[in-house]
Amino acid sequence: MDQNPPSPTGASRRNVAVILAGGVGARMGLDIPKQFVPIAGRTSLEHTVELFQHCDLVDEVIVMMAPGYIPRAEELLLGKPGRQPGTPGGKAANKFSKLTAILSGGTDRSQTSCLALDAIADKNANVIFHDAVRPLLDGDIILACIRALDVYAAVDTAIPSADTIIEVDDENFVRAVPPRAKLRRGQTPQAFRLPVISEAYERAKQDPDFFATDDCSVVLKYCPDVPIFVVDGDEANIKITQPIDIHLADKLFQLKHKTVLPNGNADALRGSIVVVFGASSGIGLELVQQLEAEGVLVAGQSRTGNGTFVEDRGCVAQALASAAAAHGRVDHVILSAGVLSVGPLAQLTDEQLHHDLDVNLTAAFIVAQESQKYLAESKGSLTLFASSSYTRGRANYTVYSATKAAIVNLTQALADEWSSDGIRVNCISPSRTATPMRTRAFGAEEEGSLLPAAAVAGASIQVLASAMTGQVVDVRLPYTDPSKDSELVAQP
């Protein structure tokens, strides 16, 4: 066949993403498929489908599911078992509007791919295959694969090999050491013009010895005249295969870089009811002001402003009940209050120790417990605050950094625990920020070395308006003012 057969331009070809979720977790020793294992507050399947849902160039998403597990996939992606994609049913049913089918996969990867190709109605479409257990895929890679299909009929994703690859014989003796410069480690997505990959599989079916573990190898063997272009992948785009991969993926979700904030539309918050604890100064005050400017009804709570102590359950319960009584509901709750005691741990008094633990950690448990019933009713969100010190303890403010690490863990645990209630839980982790709390602790610091509190508030509002959950969003320098047509760099 022609190397790159004529086809409609990329702008007119339909782009169909196929999520391959046929594994059953045998290599991990699990009693559920690995795509259902919670990572950063959601299953790998949900994370992966969301990546393609949010890609502007993707028109349709099909999920190929392990036989017997379709009801669970429907529950996660559509809100309940048996619901068909695209049917009404509230937020859970509509959050993946591009999802058109959840289908049973085959007995192996190749059969599953063939079943997906048969299910695509537009036979001139582009098809983008991706493993459901690669939830850390960067959206730019999806775009690169689709754009490459404007020129090439087949596209792979790969990264250079940092390790030396050896070839061994049946007795496990080294027989060859291929030049590392020419080697790549394959990833997904793998993308094709549908007529090309369909033709490759038709030819493969005539081969009684056919076997393949990926789709590009089918094109390479059975349509050798079709060049396969390679898009640069990403080291973070790991495939969750072994038990340790779950822990690595959790950490990578915390530390993921080079990602701008999700496209949260602050206009969608207009008319929402938001309770902000810690509203008297710093980030909390900026949140109140910016939210009100967006038309949000804000109930600001603070110790100095109205006598609300976040570590006191009675105060928190009363604040939430008052907001619900005044407005009929509570849509979002934000806890930005915190204290920072500086000095060696051995020199902290019992009073300082208990106060810092109560405000920085116990308060988060109390606010979460008291907010749950309101947020379950509104299908709203809880936003907590950590700090950049959560990844590594800091000398002389050990209690603060330890509690912020705990907040990250709490965020991910609650996102998982509350997912069935439709409550989103996220954590904002700003780098050093210009707030009165920091000034009291460290005094005046070099100009330009701190994030403006307004920047952190703006990033927090974007997260509030997004569909994300279970995420730790790092907001870091350098900061550029969004009002000057620049993007705020953040790292979820």
Side-chain angles (χ1 to χ4, degrees):
M1 64 188 304
D2 293 342
Q3 289 188 351
N4 289 297
S7 58
T9 64
S12 60
R13 282 197 306 269
R14 187 170 180 81
N15 295 310
V16 182
V18 174
I19 310 302
L20 300 166
V24 294
R27 279 178 288 183
M28 296 183 71
L30 300 174
D31 56 1
I32 60 170
K34 54 194 174 183
Q35 54 269 29
F36 291 153
V37 175
I39 297 173
R42 306 174 79 185
T43 65
S44 177
L45 178 62
E46 290 172 283
H47 286 300
T48 302
V49 172
E50 186 171 58
L51 289 169
F52 289 88
Q53 170 69 31
H54 289 162
C55 179
D56 291 339
L57 296 185
V58 171
D59 300 297
E60 179 182 351
V61 178
I62 296 173
V63 172
M64 302 302 295
M65 197 64 228
Y69 290 97
I70 287 180
R72 177 59 175 150
E74 290 172 339
E75 183 179 5
L76 288 169
L77 302 177
L78 303 173
K80 74 176 192 178
R83 175 174 284 139
Q84 295 301 306
T87 59
K91 291 183 179 180
N94 298 322
K95 62 182 177 181
F96 300 122
S97 59
K98 295 179 181 179
L99 180 62
T100 60
I102 301 174
L103 306 175
S104 182
T107 57
D108 57 27
R109 167 66 177 266
S110 298
Q111 188 180 57
T112 298
S113 294
C114 288
L115 290 171
L117 295 175
D118 290 341
I120 297 173
D122 184 350
K123 299 307 178 183
N124 286 315
N126 291 332
V127 57
I128 304 96
F129 291 107
H130 186 65
D131 298 325
V133 288
R134 291 186 187 270
L136 285 144
L137 174 65
D138 193 301
D140 288 342
I141 297 175
I142 304 175
L143 294 174
C145 287
I146 292 174
R147 287 168 178 156
L149 289 175
D150 286 343
V151 181
Y152 306 99
V155 180
D156 203 352
T157 302
I159 58 176
S161 176
D163 298 316
T164 296
I165 306 299
I166 61 173
E167 182 182 338
V168 299
D169 61 17
D170 293 340
E171 279 78 39
N172 219 36
F173 289 100
V174 175
R175 285 293 174 256
V177 181
R180 191 171 64 186
K182 297 292 185 181
L183 298 177
R184 297 291 185 271
R185 289 157 50 201
Q187 299 184 331
T188 61
Q190 293 184 334
F192 309 89
R193 297 178 188 172
L194 195 145
V196 169
I197 186 64
S198 296
E199 175 66 18
Y201 270 112
E202 283 301 315
R203 295 180 183 182
K205 291 175 183 177
Q206 309 308 312
D207 182 357
D209 298 321
F210 168 65
F211 175 78
T213 58
D214 78 305
D215 300 293
C216 278
S217 65
V218 181
V219 172
L220 182 66
K221 183 173 182 178
Y222 297 100
C223 296
D225 55 334
V226 176
I228 304 172
F229 182 72
V230 179
V231 165
D232 289 336
D234 184 6
E235 288 283 356
N237 184 23
I238 66 172
K239 184 177 182 180
I240 299 169
T241 305
Q242 304 296 336
I244 193 174
D245 297 331
I246 297 173
H247 303 287
L248 291 173
D250 256 324
K251 182 57 64 176
L252 286 169
F253 264 111
Q254 291 181 10
L255 302 178
K256 191 177 179 186
H257 294 297
K258 298 180 182 177
T259 306
V260 296
L261 279 168
N263 295 323
N265 182 3
D267 289 342
L269 296 173
R270 188 176 302 277
S272 296
I273 314 301
V274 179
V275 178
V276 178
F277 292 99
S280 62
S281 65
I283 297 169
L285 179 59
E286 286 288 347
L287 276 165
V288 171
Q289 294 172 345
Q290 292 186 31
L291 285 168
E292 288 180 340
E294 294 290 344
V296 175
L297 299 173
V298 183
Q301 302 292 327
S302 67
R303 175 178 57 84
T304 56
N306 42 26
T308 299
F309 291 78
V310 290
E311 68 273 32
D312 184 289
R313 185 178 299 276
C315 287
V316 172
Q318 179 59 44
L320 292 164
S322 296
H327 304 290
R329 68 184 192 279
V330 173
D331 296 310
H332 305 282
V333 176
I334 302 173
L335 174 59
S336 64
V339 292
L340 173 59
S341 295
V342 178
L345 178 63
Q347 296 179 13
L348 291 182
T349 66
D350 282 352
E351 183 180 0
Q352 286 177 301
L353 182 61
H354 287 296
H355 180 253
D356 286 15
L357 285 170
D358 284 346
V359 175
N360 292 332
L361 184 56
T362 304
F365 290 114
I366 291 173
V367 169
Q369 286 180 318
E370 297 298 325
S371 300
Q372 194 274 341
K373 63 181 179 182
Y374 300 104
L375 299 179
E377 184 176 347
S378 65
K379 306 301 180 187
S381 74
L382 172 66
T383 302
L384 304 173
F385 278 78
S387 84
S388 57
S389 65
Y390 81 85
T391 58
R392 183 176 182 273
R394 300 290 194 267
N396 293 319
Y397 46 107
T398 53
V399 177
Y400 182 80
S401 58
T403 56
K404 293 308 178 182
I407 291 295
V408 169
N409 193 289
L410 173 62
T411 297
Q412 295 177 330
L414 273 183
D416 186 20
E417 186 176 315
W418 287 358
S419 62
S420 60
D421 295 324
I423 305 174
R424 297 182 296 105
V425 186
N426 293 297
C427 179
I428 309 300
S429 175
S431 62
R432 299 181 305 166
T433 305
T435 64
M437 180 184 74
R438 185 172 182 90
T439 301
R440 286 192 298 271
F442 299 106
E445 297 179 81
E446 183 180 353
E447 185 176 355
S449 66
L450 303 178
L451 268 171
V456 180
S460 304
I461 291 171
Q462 290 187 57
V463 172
L464 199 69
S466 77
M468 66 194 303
T469 187
Q471 299 301 300
V472 181
V473 178
D474 294 345
V475 185
R476 300 179 179 175
L477 288 169
Y479 166 74
T480 52
D481 188 342
S483 67
K484 298 178 181 177
D485 297 326
S486 300
E487 284 186 322
L488 171 65
V489 176
Q491 294 138 0

